[in-house]
Amino acid sequence: MATVGLSKAFGGVTALDSATVTFHHGKVNALIGPNGSGKTTFFNCVTGMIRPDAGRTTYRGRDITRKPPHRIARAGIGRSFQLCRVFPRMTVLDNLLAAVQPSSLAGQLARAGRREETERARGWLSRMGIEHLERAEARQLSWGQQKLLELAGVLMSEPELILLDEPAGGVNPALINRICDLVRELNAEGRTFLIVEHNMDLVMSLSDHVVVFDRGRPIAEGPPSVIQSDERVLGAYLGV
Ligand code: ADP
């Protein structure tokens, strides 16, 4: 996925300032930067949740700028949210079935498909290690388990590119390890990741390519080993 000159202002506040950036297909990419540097706005623009004021987004050669979120999802891009979007009073299994785009097929076909979807949902729950919770209401799960449920929901649409917004935020260390292992496995199976994350140990150990935002645009990019010692990055974080 790549953007050229992506810009977005909220009133007088520039959230994205002509951001031109390319993320690498087939890799684990990370987007980091201080609070307020535009990371969430970037996610929202490239997934169609908000419209950029200017600029373009392309994915695998197709222009997806200003396409609605469901069209962008259909192009193969899935995302999770910082504050984890699950239906708290629905069961774990129903959350996954609800995550699938409604079928446009006739009712009977849709019902037949539903059995397949249920099996696929169980498959993802088992991958996440939460298959024993399929009948529990989502709100009964721990925060980390809810994040795994949300990731399973994202995977139900079989995205090629997965955007994760703070996957480790508020999650206990054991589940952080599971999330990292899953990202590595899913990446080895061919899925591309773009991760916004504050946990620098996780970013540096998990990602192949790191892009650093400051004030709405990239200021540095490269492999973790290079980014860690980049003076511009240290300056952005320390505010000097
Ligand atoms: P980050 O995710 O890196 O913390 P954000 O994209 O959330 O950064 O924010 C970038 C800037 O845009 C910040 O100054 C923030 O206050 C502002 N901003 C983001 N969303 C809105 C909004 N809906 N209304 C007004 N200002 C916003």
Side-chain angles (χ1 to χ4, degrees):
M1 186 190 49
T3 66
V4 178
L6 207 63
S7 294
K8 178 72 189 176
F10 297 100
V13 178
T14 301
L16 285 179
D17 187 7
S18 197
T20 296
V21 56
T22 299
F23 293 103
H24 296 192
H25 189 69
K27 304 284 185 196
V28 178
N29 301 269
L31 174 58
I32 65 170
N35 276 335
S37 58
K39 304 179 298 294
T40 305
T41 306
F42 183 85
F43 262 30
N44 286 337
C45 281
V46 299
T47 54
M49 315 250 339
I50 58 175
R51 291 167 77 90
D53 300 330
R56 286 194 310 122
T57 306
T58 52
Y59 177 61
R60 308 207 71 184
R62 285 175 58 191
D63 191 326
I64 56 166
T65 321
R66 296 186 184 79
K67 297 261 186 290
H70 69 274
R71 291 277 300 278
I72 292 175
R74 231 184 288 152
I77 301 178
R79 85 171 280 190
S80 75
F81 291 85
Q82 193 177 342
L83 292 176
C84 197
R85 292 200 176 169
V86 297
F87 299 108
R89 286 172 191 276
M90 259 190 205
T91 68
V92 162
L93 187 60
D94 284 345
N95 259 277
L96 294 197
L97 297 176
V100 190
Q101 299 288 324
S103 172
S104 58
L105 297 173
Q108 276 193 341
L109 276 175
R111 269 200 296 282
R114 196 125 182 117
R115 276 198 298 276
E116 259 170 55
E117 277 168 11
T118 304
E119 287 318 302
R120 263 185 344 106
R122 291 200 167 112
W124 284 123
L125 288 178
S126 144
R127 264 315 267 284
M128 302 293 132
I130 53 172
E131 70 277 21
H132 57 293
L133 296 167
E134 86 168 48
R135 286 168 199 277
E137 288 186 3
R139 63 187 171 144
Q140 296 173 296
L141 274 55
S142 74
W143 178 244
Q145 288 169 334
Q146 290 190 35
K147 290 240 177 196
L148 289 168
L149 172 60
E150 190 193 28
L151 178 56
V154 171
L155 287 161
M156 283 297 286
S157 322
E158 299 291 346
E160 296 171 333
L161 168 62
I162 302 174
L163 278 57
L164 300 180
D165 198 348
E166 294 201 26
V171 177
N172 74 51
L175 283 191
I176 289 181
N177 283 339
R178 176 169 306 154
I179 290 171
C180 287
D181 288 345
L182 281 163
V183 168
R184 287 195 188 96
E185 285 171 28
L186 292 163
N187 176 244
E189 291 163 17
R191 293 181 214 267
T192 303
F193 281 86
L194 171 53
I195 300 175
V196 165
E197 179 55 57
H198 285 296
N199 179 333
M200 280 306 128
D201 290 341
L202 185 151
V203 166
M204 296 304 166
S205 74
L206 199 55
S207 45
D208 306 300
H209 185 73
V210 183
V211 174
V212 187
F213 265 27
D214 188 33
R215 293 171 211 180
R217 55 162 63 196
I219 56 159
E221 63 173 278
S225 53
V226 172
I227 290 300
Q228 267 170 317
S229 52
D230 189 302
E231 280 181 18
R232 288 165 301 180
V233 178
L234 297 174
Y237 276 97
L238 299 173
V240 291

